[in-house]
Amino acid sequence: MIDSFLTFALIGFVAQLVDGALGMAFGVLSTTSLLAFGVPPATASAVTHVTEIFTTAASGASHVFHRNVNWHLVARLAPAGMIGGAVGAYALASVDAAFIQPLVSIYLAGIGCYIVFKAIGPVWPREVKDRIVPWIGAGGGLLDAMGGGGWGPIVTGSLIGRGHAPRQVIGSANLTEFLVTTTISATFIIALGWSELSSAAGLIVGGVLAAPLGGFLVSRIPTRPLMIGVGLIIIATSIPRIF
């Protein structure tokens, strides 16, 4: 029991360090690691999202304090993201683990490729079209719940790519993620029960301990090499489980 707690705490600590430096990847790293330890896909996603309630609350509050939040953007993202997240969580909890695990691994490998592409690929500024924001939120919430992560790469990456101000996108997406992940967690608890989520304690402790170091890492670690490294790790650990 103690060994499991320490293992999950280490996973949460490392994932939160990376997330603090990149503004994304806690969910996909945590879920990928839990799947590698044999945790079923639904439980891995549920544990990750319960943990993210605490980490996103701290992150969202910080962005509100520093005035990085566009409340109009939050109002457009949050309802759709919460609905998409609830649907994705219920669907994942209702599907046989043997069937869904290869699909989740394919999705995570795709997210890993996307992170690498964002690190080395060109940026194409696009016209900001507000009407697409709810659809991005719904898709981000749905895939985040079913894949155990991906809100940051999907929502933040899409909105910045469409021309929204990066500072407001990061702040608004982080605050919205708290609402989305709380909805996803509640859905998993209803569908799976709390006993399935006991390993969340280790992730929470590790994540909370690492959270204050995010600002330090942002100023010290080059973003591009870290993104490439994280993307390659996710790809390398996901591909074997596809087969």
Side-chain angles (χ1 to χ4, degrees), residues 50-156:
V50 168
T51 304
E52 285 186 318
I53 292 176
F54 296 86
T55 57
T56 56
S59 177
S62 175
H63 283 296
V64 170
F65 178 78
H66 289 98
R67 300 182 179 180
N68 296 334
V69 175
N70 180 329
W71 292 102
H72 177 69
L73 191 57
V74 171
R76 300 284 286 169
L77 275 176
M82 293 165 71
I83 293 171
V87 171
Y90 182 79
L92 182 62
S94 304
V95 176
D96 180 66
F99 170 76
I100 198 67
Q101 180 156 315
L103 301 180
V104 172
S105 296
I106 290 171
Y107 166 74
L108 291 172
I111 290 292
C113 292
Y114 181 76
I115 291 174
V116 172
F117 175 77
K118 291 293 289 183
I120 64 177
V123 177
W124 296 292
R126 301 176 63 180
E127 180 186 356
V128 178
K129 295 184 183 296
D130 191 57
R131 64 177 178 271
I132 201 71
V133 170
W135 294 102
I136 292 174
L142 178 70
L143 294 174
D144 187 84
M146 296 197 71
W151 176 267
I154 292 172
V155 175
T156 303

Side-chain angles (χ1 to χ4, degrees), residues 120-243:
I120 64 177
V123 177
W124 296 292
R126 301 176 63 180
E127 180 186 356
V128 178
K129 295 184 183 296
D130 191 57
R131 64 177 178 271
I132 201 71
V133 170
W135 294 102
I136 292 174
L142 178 70
L143 294 174
D144 187 84
M146 296 197 71
W151 176 267
I154 292 172
V155 175
T156 303
S158 297
L159 293 178
I160 291 177
R162 297 191 67 83
H164 286 267
R167 174 182 166 185
Q168 291 192 341
V169 166
I170 293 171
S172 302
N174 269 265
L175 179 63
T176 306
E177 188 177 12
F178 167 72
L179 302 174
V180 173
T181 202
T182 300
T183 302
I184 292 172
S185 299
T187 306
F188 274 126
I189 290 171
I190 292 171
L192 299 175
W194 178 253
S195 61
E196 292 285 336
L197 311 181
S198 57
S199 53
L203 281 180
I204 291 169
V205 171
V208 170
L209 287 176
L213 300 177
F216 174 82
L217 288 177
V218 168
S219 64
R220 298 295 195 283
I221 298 180
T223 299
R224 185 174 302 227
L226 184 59
M227 287 182 71
I228 294 173
V230 168
L232 292 177
I233 289 172
I234 294 171
I235 294 168
T237 54
S238 296
I239 287 178
R241 289 193 306 276
I242 295 174
F243 302 100

